[in-house]
Amino acid sequence: MNPASIPGPRRGELASAAQPLEPQWLRWTLTIVALLFLTVFLFVPLAAVFAEALRKGWDTYAEAVREDDAIAAIKLTLITAGIAVPLNLLFGVAASWCIAKFDFRGKSILLTLIDLPFSVSPVISGLIYVLLFGAQGWLGPWLQEHDIKILFAVPGMVLATIFVTFPFVARELIPLMQAQGTEEEQAALVLGASGWQTFRRVTLPNIKWGLLYGVILCNARAMGEFGAVSVVSGHIRGETNTIPLQVEILYNEYNFAAAFAVASLLALLALVTLAVKSLVEWRLRESARPLGEHA
């Protein structure tokens, strides 16, 4: 029998089969519920932050943002993120390369360790550093003897931030590299490329948008981290307060206008991060579309 003569499904049958099975009223109900949830728990609090920040006018807002402690908190937040994010970038690329491209004993253990900050409370992670570097900790006496200060200083805050943020880049790149396989790298090595040339000209262009996506998430968490940094910072005004810690201090002092003004900076950061994240997701879909069409 000629296979071409076998009757197949008609176009109308294919169209009807592609339609969702849920009734239209259920889809509209779920959509409305989702929009109401976002409005109550996301849009309204976000609008309230800006409304409270500007309630006493632009002069009060600008004065709160330009205050010396606020500027010091902004600078320290940028310094902490500026150190933690590049280090997490290097770790994430190395870990994802190792896990996705090679088979070795202990791979599952390494994956578990990467996910550890997701399961440990940030406050507990900060307490771990206190037990390690505190005056009564394991390394505390040695650090005091050599006049090395980690707790209640920038190094401790950077270490705590690195711990809570290092899974983001690795967890974004591991599935992406695993899906891409190793064929292109092997072909480059067969053609005489070195390991660095293979990474720079083959691997890195394939993962650049996923890498940027992970860096965006890592940076957002680094700038907004509160729990772990709060434990190791000491809350020294003008020295060890990041933006979230500065907001807490101002709010506890009933200086609500200044607290919401500084908090609006984090809200603006969240909005910018969301916009960049959406752009990167769009580019990821666009870069994956030719592969899907080819398949």
Side-chain angles (χ1 to χ4, degrees), residues 161-198:
T161 304
I162 291 174
F163 178 82
V164 298
T165 57
F166 80 82
F168 288 94
V169 177
R171 265 304 172 187
E172 186 63 33
L173 291 181
I174 288 172
L176 179 60
M177 286 188 173
Q178 288 176 337
Q180 291 174 353
T182 60
E183 290 80 4
E184 295 185 10
E185 285 85 355
Q186 292 175 356
L189 293 174
V190 169
L191 293 175
S194 63
W196 171 247
Q197 289 175 333
T198 300

Side-chain angles (χ1 to χ4, degrees), residues 37-39 50 58 79 88 131 141 157 179 187 197 201 208 211 219 240 242 268 271 277:
F37 185 88
L38 289 175
T39 301
F50 289 100
W58 283 100
I79 291 173
N88 283 323
L131 296 177
M157 302 175 68
Q197 289 175 333
R201 298 186 178 183
K208 60 182 180 180
L211 180 62
N219 181 72
T240 63
T242 57
L268 288 173
L271 293 176
K277 174 177 171 290

Side-chain angles (χ1 to χ4, degrees), residues 76-143:
L76 183 58
T77 301
L78 295 177
I79 291 173
T80 303
I83 298 174
V85 173
L87 292 178
N88 283 323
L89 170 63
L90 295 176
F91 169 80
V93 173
S96 57
W97 173 279
C98 180
I99 292 173
K101 305 297 182 180
F102 302 97
D103 291 325
F104 56 91
R105 291 183 179 179
K107 180 188 287 190
S108 59
I109 297 177
L110 180 57
L111 284 170
T112 302
L113 293 177
I114 291 175
D115 291 336
L116 184 62
F118 287 145
S119 58
V120 176
S121 170
V123 175
I124 300 301
S125 64
L127 181 61
I128 292 173
Y129 287 104
V130 174
L131 296 177
L132 285 175
F133 305 118
Q136 306 301 323
W138 292 354
L139 302 177
W142 184 87
L143 293 174

